[in-house]
């Protein structure tokens, strides 16, 4: 069986070998899943970073105290519930891919508008509106990406592939804060730093568009299952 160790192979290295072969297979034979992974890496890194960037923005640019900031994040948390329901409705009405695209565009629009509206402490009362919208987006996007990822993974390898999914969620989480920090230290207006998150959402949207038509994904998926048998992977000692 494929889950047994080969002669001379140790438990320590078996996992890395299997992970490398899986990554090789995804890159060569599963273009839809490959594009989705890139979309998750960009869009989810921005959505995860939103909390960190928003906190810095509210403290240093909008001059908000900790109590109000706590209320803002409570609004974000609560609004995630209707966001998930909206995502479910759009997914059932169309499909998870369309729902994920709309959610990503929603993030781009809201974050860009916020950077134009939240221009100083005198506009800080407007943050509650954007907090509600961001909360909807957070509750909307993540479940749709998860549903897409699970739908594109082989049925008997979902545990292994979910490890790749969790990795893709975090691997670029350092990049948006770095861009925000570099812009801030370069004396660029902090609203530009906030709007820089839209760039990552846009890159995620482009990757989602590279997946192709949703009604063709099952064909690609079936082809990829056949290709895993036919494709020769590089030998690893």
């Amino acid at each position: 069986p494929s889950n047994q160790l080969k002669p001379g192979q140790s438990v320590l290295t078996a996992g890395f070998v299997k992970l490398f072969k899986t990554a090789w297979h995804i890159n060569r034979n599963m273009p839809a899943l490959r594009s989705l992974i890139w979309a998750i890496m960009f869009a989810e890194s921005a959505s995860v970073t939103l909390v960190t960037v928003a906190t810095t923005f509210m403290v240093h640019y909008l001059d908000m105290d900790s109590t109000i900031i706590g209320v803002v994040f409570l609004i974000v948390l609560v609004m995630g519930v209707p966001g998930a329901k909206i995502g479910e409705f759009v997914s059932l009405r169309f499909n998870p891919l369309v729902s994920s695209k709309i959610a990503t565009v929603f993030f781009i629009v809201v974050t860009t508008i916020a950077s134009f509206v939240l221009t100083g402490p005198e506009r800080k009362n407007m943050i509650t509106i954007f907090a509600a919208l961001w909360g909807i987006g957070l509750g909307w996007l993540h479940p749709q990406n998860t549903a897409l990822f699970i739908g594109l993974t082989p049925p008997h390898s979902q545990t292994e592939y979910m490890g790749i999914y969790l990795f893709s969620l975090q691997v670029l989480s350092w990049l948006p804060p770095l861009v925000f920090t570099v812009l801030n230290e370069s004396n660029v207006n902090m609203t530009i730093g906030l709007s820089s998150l839209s760039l990552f959402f846009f890159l995620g949207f482009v990757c989602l568009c590279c997946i192709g038509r949703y009604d063709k994904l099952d064909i690609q998926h079936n082809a990829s299952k056949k290709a895993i048998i036919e494709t020769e992977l590089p030998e690893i000692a």
Side-chain angles (χ1 to χ4, degrees), residues 83-98:
K85 291 297 183 181
I86 292 173
E88 180 183 6
F89 172 79
V90 177
S91 180
L92 293 175
R93 179 65 177 81
F94 299 100
N95 57 66
L97 179 56
V98 170

Side-chain angles (χ1 to χ4, degrees), residues 20-96:
F20 176 82
K21 289 185 175 182
T22 300
W24 181 274
H25 169 65
I26 292 173
N27 184 58
R28 291 290 299 274
N29 304 305
M30 304 179 74
L33 184 58
R34 181 185 63 212
S35 297
L36 177 60
I37 289 174
W38 280 105
I40 291 171
M41 288 168 58
F42 287 120
E44 294 285 356
S45 68
S47 63
V48 170
T49 303
L50 187 60
V51 174
T52 305
V53 170
T55 301
T56 304
F57 186 82
M58 288 186 289
V59 171
H60 296 287
Y61 193 76
L62 298 182
D63 194 26
M64 297 172 61
D65 59 50
S66 58
T67 302
I68 302 300
I69 293 175
V71 172
V72 168
F73 286 124
L74 178 62
I75 294 173
V76 172
L77 183 63
V78 171
M79 293 304 294
V81 177
K85 291 297 183 181
I86 292 173
E88 180 183 6
F89 172 79
V90 177
S91 180
L92 293 175
R93 179 65 177 81
F94 299 100
N95 57 66

Side-chain angles (χ1 to χ4, degrees), residues 163-178:
I164 297 175
Y165 173 70
L166 294 175
F167 173 78
S168 66
L169 289 176
Q170 301 294 331
V171 65
L172 290 183
S173 60
W174 55 272
L175 187 54
L178 177 62

Side-chain angles (χ1 to χ4, degrees), residues 75-140:
I75 294 173
V76 172
L77 183 63
V78 171
M79 293 304 294
V81 177
K85 291 297 183 181
I86 292 173
E88 180 183 6
F89 172 79
V90 177
S91 180
L92 293 175
R93 179 65 177 81
F94 299 100
N95 57 66
L97 179 56
V98 170
S99 184
S100 184
K101 288 179 179 179
I102 295 175
T104 306
V105 172
F106 178 81
F107 261 121
I108 295 172
V109 172
V110 171
T111 305
T112 302
I113 293 176
S115 66
F116 284 101
V117 173
L118 303 174
T119 54
E122 68 280 0
R123 308 297 296 274
K124 63 183 178 182
N125 291 336
M126 299 290 293
I127 190 66
T128 55
I129 297 175
F130 292 103
L133 296 175
W134 279 324
I136 291 174
L138 290 172
W140 183 346

